[in-house]
Amino acid sequence: MEYVNHLAAGGYAFIPGSYYQTLPDINCDNKDIFLSELEQLKLAYEKLTLDPYSAGNRWRGYAQCRRNEQGELSFGHFTEYKQTKKYNPDTGGIVRHYPLLPENITANRLMQTILQDDIAFVEAYKRIGPLEELSVGIHLFRYEAQCDAPAYSSPVWLHKDDEDVVFVHLIHASANMLGGDNLIAPTPKNIERVLRLEALFDTLVVNHDKYHAVTPIGCRQPGETALRDIILVTFQRTMKEAA
């Protein structure tokens, strides 16, 4: 509840990756199983599609999920994915289509554990309603940067998302990466916190109380490529109207 309370009081929470590695389904006795599942998850980033809707050298895969009465998750494209111009002036206002994440990734043991824990977090948070009234999105993002071709998010600066609660889980950040710092701000002109996701599963969760951004990704050495791989899990009330 510590992280839930921090989100409610401060508009964001940082959850260290060590927390996730203590969860029963991740902290398995067989280290080989853990490493195999992690390798499978990391390989998924090699097969993502370059985002055709925005610049920024960002690769992407997407799925939505639902939970049945038995607590099992199912995945698909259940509703249109569309952000509003209000929150995303760059690429809002259009329906965007991304390849569905493959079953070997949505069924991945680590992915499932992270999703179930995010769901439990939101249910404990209580402020945005029951899961049955929420749209849950899973985005895999790869930021791929070179010295003369940085990678960046959209919107590129401080903003709020259409989604009510957003989790940013780090899977990998290469040692030659520049930038990739997360910013938290009460207003677009007043930054109150700068933090960096560095270790496996380090996580930032934000709500609508604060603005946030991630600084563009660069590369330290000419001729090299810097990578930042994340899982973005979003929860949004379905009764919200799309502008």
Side-chain angles (χ1 to χ4, degrees):
M1 288 295 293
E2 172 190 353
Y3 304 122
V4 175
N5 293 338
H6 201 292
L7 175 68
Y12 76 97
F14 170 74
I15 308 174
S18 56
Y19 161 81
Y20 292 94
Q21 296 192 52
T22 64
L23 296 177
D25 286 340
I26 288 182
N27 186 24
C28 55
D29 294 332
N30 191 328
K31 187 177 181 180
D32 290 338
I33 294 177
F34 170 80
L35 293 176
S36 175
E37 294 289 299
L38 180 60
E39 181 65 18
Q40 181 187 63
L41 186 56
K42 287 184 174 182
L43 285 174
Y45 290 89
E46 304 291 338
K47 301 178 181 178
L48 300 181
T49 300
L50 185 64
D51 193 335
Y53 300 99
S54 62
N57 296 313
R58 193 172 61 163
W59 302 70
R60 190 172 193 162
Y62 176 65
Q64 296 167 336
C65 78
R66 293 173 174 171
R67 186 180 64 187
N68 63 23
E69 294 179 355
Q70 290 72 44
E72 300 167 333
L73 301 180
S74 60
F75 299 86
H77 290 157
F78 304 123
T79 61
E80 292 181 338
Y81 177 55
K82 179 181 178 182
Q83 293 180 311
T84 63
K85 282 285 188 181
K86 175 183 178 181
Y87 288 113
N88 190 340
D90 297 336
T91 56
I94 60 172
V95 177
R96 288 186 275 174
H97 302 277
Y98 296 105
L100 182 66
L101 293 173
E103 185 177 356
N104 70 316
I105 296 306
T106 55
N108 179 277
R109 181 173 177 173
L110 305 184
M111 173 72 82
Q112 287 268 333
T113 300
I114 289 170
L115 289 175
Q116 292 285 12
D117 196 75
D118 288 352
I119 289 169
F121 185 112
V122 168
E123 290 179 322
Y125 178 63
K126 295 182 179 179
R127 292 193 177 188
I128 59 174
L131 188 68
E132 292 71 26
E133 297 178 5
L134 305 177
S135 174
V136 183
I138 304 102
H139 308 250
L140 264 62
F141 282 112
R142 162 163 282 185
Y143 295 82
E144 184 174 305
Q146 297 177 340
C147 283
D148 57 352
Y152 48 89
S153 189
S154 174
V156 72
W157 190 234
L158 290 166
H159 66 281
K160 296 182 179 181
D161 295 313
D162 281 279
E163 295 85 359
D164 299 278
V165 176
V166 177
F167 293 82
V168 184
H169 302 284
L170 181 71
I171 301 302
H172 172 70
S174 60
N176 62 348
M177 184 186 80
L178 295 172
D181 295 312
N182 292 96
L183 313 179
I184 303 295
T187 73
K189 296 182 179 181
N190 180 23
I191 297 171
E192 70 176 30
R193 179 79 189 272
V194 179
L195 58 89
R196 175 173 287 194
L197 308 181
E198 296 181 291
L200 175 65
F201 302 138
D202 273 359
T203 293
L204 173 67
V205 53
V206 296
N207 65 15
H208 266 189
D209 293 340
K210 296 289 173 68
Y211 290 84
H212 63 276
V214 60
T215 59
I217 308 300
C219 186
R220 294 182 184 276
Q221 297 294 331
E224 294 184 357
T225 299
L227 302 175
R228 182 175 186 261
D229 297 337
I230 64 169
I231 301 172
L232 198 75
V233 183
T234 63
F235 295 82
Q236 183 177 3
R237 285 173 281 197
T238 55
M239 69 280 295
K240 281 192 171 184
E241 294 184 359

